[in-house]
Amino acid sequence: MNKPNFDAEMLRVAKEYKEKGVRPKLLMHSCCAPCSTACIERLIEFFDLTILYYNPNMDTEEEFKLRAEEQKRYCDKLDVNVIIEPYNSTEFYYAVKGMENLSEGGERCFICYRLRLNKTAEYAKSGGFDFFTTTLTVSPLKNAEKLNEIGKDEGDKIGVKFLPSDFKKRGGYLRSITLSKENNMYRQNYCGCVFSKRQSTN
């Protein structure tokens, strides 16, 4: 059985609206500015885009602020709306309690995906957005199939459409590296949480 092509599905939806002359409102959760670059580039032609920077998984408030400032700087440059949700690591540690020793990329990460996608869906619903999505699928280290499954689930529960994606397709991840270098961006080699940082230094 063939795996779903989330990138093709996103393009299909985007082109359908463009043919109708409609720019739907899209709220995109972003983990960091570097990852957002290629995603914004791919979406801005089709959607009225707003970025939500919501990342309670950051290991320190300093790291959170560095990434938030870079996200705002980049969005301001492109004249893209950005929402910065204040740092609250308690939300993350409460959600993953008991999973501290699990391997990176497994169930603890899936809980973190759900935490952030749930918040994005809630923002999208209350803000009257047509869709929500996330930059997380741009990373080769993130499980795009699981992200899309969780995104659709949260969207169905809250009552807002999830836009499927796999931003790493069509060279998206490599493009994000190029764009972040061109824009002299602060970039880290771990997702942000203390667990991924620990693994990246081992």
Side-chain angles (χ1 to χ4, degrees):
M1 185 175 176
N2 292 332
K3 285 187 175 182
N5 190 329
F6 301 111
D7 179 58
E9 179 61 15
M10 181 190 75
L11 274 175
R12 183 192 65 76
V13 172
K15 287 177 178 177
E16 276 185 10
Y17 279 96
K18 188 172 184 179
E19 286 169 5
K20 295 174 186 174
V22 175
R23 282 177 63 84
K25 289 178 65 179
L26 171 64
L27 181 66
M28 180 164 66
H29 162 263
S30 177
C31 54
C32 63
C35 285
S36 76
T37 55
C39 306
I40 291 172
E41 183 180 68
R42 196 165 287 184
L43 294 170
I44 204 162
E45 175 186 353
F46 303 101
F47 295 94
D48 179 4
L49 192 58
T50 296
I51 302 301
L52 173 65
Y53 178 83
Y54 167 66
N55 296 293
N57 59 312
M58 294 293 115
D59 62 326
T60 65
E61 189 165 7
E62 179 185 16
E63 180 67 22
F64 176 91
K65 286 179 177 178
L66 283 168
R67 296 193 191 200
E69 286 164 6
E70 202 70 326
Q71 185 71 73
K72 187 175 187 311
R73 179 175 75 86
Y74 188 64
C75 286
D76 287 349
K77 178 181 178 179
L78 298 181
D79 197 25
V80 170
N81 293 328
V82 61
I83 301 164
I84 307 292
E85 176 71 7
Y87 182 60
N88 182 2
S89 61
T90 303
E91 292 177 314
F92 171 69
Y93 288 116
Y94 179 79
V96 301
K97 188 175 176 60
M99 300 182 177
E100 294 85 353
N101 295 319
L102 295 183
S103 298
E104 188 71 7
E107 286 299 322
R108 185 184 60 241
C109 293
F110 300 161
I111 294 294
C112 185
Y113 297 169
R114 190 173 294 278
L115 178 67
R116 291 187 279 175
L117 286 168
N118 173 269
K119 177 74 79 173
T120 309
E122 288 179 344
Y123 260 103
K125 177 70 173 178
S126 64
F129 287 85
D130 300 295
F131 293 94
F132 74 103
T133 194
T134 178
T135 63
L136 289 169
T137 63
V138 81
S139 170
L141 300 177
K142 298 291 186 291
N143 186 324
E145 193 163 353
K146 197 70 179 178
L147 280 160
N148 280 275
E149 175 191 315
I150 292 169
K152 185 178 186 310
D153 184 42
E154 291 301 319
D156 288 347
K157 283 195 299 188
I158 291 166
V160 61
K161 292 178 185 175
F162 177 73
L163 181 71
S165 75
D166 193 349
F167 289 114
K168 74 175 85 44
K169 298 291 187 181
R170 293 183 283 137
Y173 177 65
L174 293 176
R175 180 63 177 157
S176 74
I177 293 173
T178 298
L179 286 169
S180 61
K181 286 179 179 176
E182 287 177 359
N183 287 276
N184 194 29
M185 285 184 172
Y186 171 74
R187 187 183 185 100
Q188 277 288 8
N189 67 340
Y190 69 106
C191 85
C193 79
V194 66
F195 311 112
S196 64
K197 186 175 188 178
R198 197 178 294 157
Q199 183 165 307
S200 73
T201 56
N202 286 343

